[in-house]
Amino acid sequence: AQSVSQHNHHVILSEAASLELGCNYSYGGTVNLFWYVQYPGQHLQLLLKYFSGDPLVKGIKGFEAEFIKSKFSFNLRKPSVQWSDTAEYFCAVRPGGSQGNLIFGKGTKLSVKP
Amino acid sequence: DTGVSQNPRHKITKRGQNVTFRCDPISEHNRLYWYRQTLGQGPEFLTYFQNEAQLEKSRLLSDRFSAERPKGSFSTLEIQRTEQGDSAMYLCASSLPDLRVRYRVGAEAFFGQGTRLTVV
């Protein structure tokens, strides 16, 4: 079955530290890839997405992610986190590209200490 | 607010009762999705509409669950004979058609705030 794995359940960082959250998926064909963020008490919001082209995609708030097809990975990065980045981060995959539903990982909770 | 709207935000019900949730997508979004999220998990897909047609249903959607989108705009999700295991956050999302083929761009899903169901 298709699945998305997020390796870290909870990450704790100090402000200005660098962030990398892992995401791997199991699907051999075309995929669309997404990172969503959920701030406390708020709805899921899109951080960035990959459909095709340059495998390094930039999103909002200084986040970026790199699609490595050979590794079935789409890791999220930010060079310097802020306290306001405290949230839960979800990786999602849409197999087949153009139709249907998103498959989400279990999420990674990020806590940034001021 | 022109985002995806879900009502009610919270619902507490007794086991065995029926509940219905409503989702109003962003206008002109012809795709509408329902997801369920339990504590410590990511959203799990339930079902998906394109206009009024229900195109896909997850195995998670037992026969106690039914979703409709009669006019291709708002959608309802009904759970009959609720069980404690139905307690979860029910999320609705909407999106434009995927224009990737024609314009080489893609459509992302926009999520509502969710309806939190507690079955006691």
Side-chain angles (χ1 to χ4, degrees):
Chain A
Q2 298 147 0
S3 65
V4 177
S5 298
Q6 291 185 242
H7 313 300
N8 307 101
H9 179 63
H10 191 185
V11 172
I12 302 173
L13 295 173
S14 297
E15 275 194 315
S18 64
L19 170 72
E20 181 160 3
L21 300 182
C23 173
N24 286 89
Y25 62 93
S26 64
Y27 184 76
T30 302
V31 291
N32 297 156
L33 298 158
F34 306 82
W35 276 96
Y36 280 85
V37 61
Q38 189 167 28
Y39 297 103
Q42 297 190 24
H43 60 282
L44 282 163
Q45 301 172 46
L46 183 71
L47 265 183
L48 47 78
K49 62 186 179 185
Y50 172 80
F51 284 81
S52 64
D54 188 345
L56 184 62
V57 292
K58 295 193 183 297
I60 60 171
K61 304 186 180 185
F63 287 91
E64 64 178 32
E66 185 175 13
F67 170 48
I68 302 179
K69 189 174 181 179
S70 61
K71 295 185 178 180
F72 299 91
S73 71
F74 190 55
N75 292 354
L76 181 71
R77 300 195 292 248
K78 185 171 183 178
S80 176
V81 295
Q82 300 173 314
W83 177 79
S84 58
D85 293 324
T86 295
E88 191 153 17
Y89 293 81
F90 294 93
C91 180
V93 172
R94 191 166 63 180
S98 63
Q99 296 289 335
N101 58 292
L102 295 169
I103 301 172
F104 283 85
K106 291 188 176 183
T108 297
K109 184 177 179 182
L110 172 65
S111 299
V112 180
K113 297 183 293 184
Chain B
D1 186 348
T2 57
V4 177
S5 175
Q6 291 189 245
N7 287 289
R9 292 289 305 278
H10 304 274
K11 178 71 177 178
I12 300 174
T13 190
K14 291 183 178 179
R15 190 176 53 183
Q17 298 293 306
N18 299 344
V19 294
T20 300
F21 311 139
R22 177 178 168 124
C23 171
D24 288 89
I26 295 171
S27 62
E28 299 178 352
H29 279 195
N30 71 336
R31 292 186 178 178
L32 187 147
Y33 308 81
W34 285 99
Y35 288 83
R36 182 175 71 184
Q37 187 176 18
T38 52
L39 200 62
Q41 301 293 320
E44 296 172 295
F45 171 73
L46 292 178
T47 189
Y48 149 58
F49 290 84
Q50 183 158 300
N51 300 314
E52 63 275 8
Q54 189 172 17
L55 296 187
E56 192 174 346
K57 293 197 291 186
S58 160
R59 290 173 300 171
L60 291 175
L61 210 69
S62 76
D63 55 7
R64 295 185 298 106
F65 287 69
S66 63
E68 294 182 343
R69 194 182 183 197
K71 297 181 181 178
S73 57
F74 73 91
S75 175
T76 57
L77 177 68
E78 181 183 17
I79 309 174
Q80 296 181 326
R81 305 180 304 280
T82 52
E83 301 173 356
Q84 286 188 318
D86 297 331
S87 295
M89 178 74 87
Y90 289 84
L91 300 171
C92 178
S94 69
S95 72
L96 287 165
D98 184 354
L99 303 177
R100 181 171 55 90
V101 173
R102 188 173 176 189
Y103 294 111
R104 301 183 64 81
V105 295
E108 66 264 28
F110 293 82
F111 282 82
Q113 299 253 16
T115 295
R116 182 169 295 283
L117 172 66
T118 303
V119 182
V120 298

